[in-house]
Amino acid sequence: MPMRLAVCVSGRGSNLVALLEALTGSAEAEVVLVLSNKADAPALDRARERGIPAEAFENFRDAAEWLERLARHQVDLVVLAGYLKLVPAGVISAYRGRILNIHPALLPDFGGPGMYGHHVHEAVVRSGVPFSGATVHLVDEEYDRGEILGQARVPVLPGDTADTLAARVLGAEHRLLPAVVLAAAAAGRPVPLPAPLSFSSH
Ligand code: GRF
């Protein structure tokens, strides 16, 4: 039986699309539900275009609503892909060890409150570090502090802006997230990748 995935989104859904494309034809995992805190998130349309149930929360803070929606679709694994709100504590405890998040930096650096989207890449460029990348980790009450399952590294290049770095990191995210999800499906539960991925492509 394929692992049943719910993907939570807030925006354009490029990570959702990358995951859906990577799972095309896979018997190991399938996206059975896409959830968003925003009824007008373009990512919901990406799901609908592919015949996948796509729902906006009535109240994204309500654990009972989350659990009812996840149970209705018999979800095994929850994937936060560009989801920008906190997951209710009741959901984290009910799905402990079964909620993944992708963060556009090499955690534990450049994570934590306020570190999302553009803010991350601005901080990385400003810091002068030579590398950045993406991290997929388990979500627990500490949010960006859960067990790291996979990382993909990209160079920070001279003259990089937050935008040019964001684009390079996003390309790495689109390869890292499917790799971690497929490893979880093969193992029956989230497992760490054997080694970090690294992409030198600009
Ligand atoms: C990505 O940078 C992801 O790492 C972050 O949200 C951004 C938007 O992702 N969590 P998407 O294009 O909506 O998948």
Side-chain angles (χ1 to χ4, degrees):
M1 283 294 285
M3 182 174 273
R4 298 172 64 85
L5 312 174
V7 181
C8 300
V9 296
S10 295
R12 90 208 120 173
S14 72
N15 276 290
L16 168 67
V17 171
L19 181 59
L20 290 172
E21 287 172 359
L23 296 181
T24 301
S26 165
E28 308 263 303
E30 62 175 319
V31 176
V32 299
L33 177 62
V34 175
L35 293 169
S36 183
N37 58 298
K38 288 179 65 181
D40 61 350
L44 292 176
D45 293 330
R46 301 293 80 75
R48 293 179 184 126
E49 286 158 7
R50 292 166 172 83
I52 298 170
E55 303 172 0
F57 289 112
E58 296 294 324
N59 175 4
F60 60 82
R61 293 184 182 84
D62 179 355
E65 180 183 343
W66 276 73
L67 295 176
E68 193 279 326
R69 292 179 188 278
L70 294 172
R72 185 164 3 114
H73 293 272
Q74 298 172 293
V75 169
D76 301 310
L77 182 69
V78 179
V79 178
L80 309 183
Y83 185 72
L84 296 180
K85 297 295 184 183
L86 297 185
V87 177
V91 179
I92 292 176
S93 51
Y95 278 80
R96 191 166 304 284
R98 297 191 290 153
I99 307 175
L100 306 183
N101 180 52
I102 183 156
H103 180 78
L106 295 175
L107 293 176
D109 298 334
F110 304 106
M115 275 295 170
Y116 61 89
H118 217 260
H119 305 292
V120 176
H121 307 298
E122 281 163 2
V124 169
V125 169
R126 198 180 315 120
S127 75
V129 292
F131 291 102
S132 188
T135 302
V136 174
H137 61 95
L138 287 178
V139 172
D140 60 20
E141 286 75 4
E142 295 288 298
Y143 295 101
D144 285 343
R145 302 291 302 274
E147 178 189 355
I148 290 175
L149 298 177
Q151 293 196 303
R153 206 171 78 166
V154 299
V156 180
L157 299 174
D160 259 337
T161 64
D163 284 340
T164 58
L165 179 57
R168 190 172 313 119
V169 170
L170 196 60
E173 293 176 47
H174 292 167
R175 288 181 273 194
L176 175 65
L177 184 59
V180 175
V181 168
L182 284 166
R189 60 182 170 72
V191 290
L193 289 184
L197 308 178
S198 70
F199 304 116
S200 56
S201 63
H202 306 345

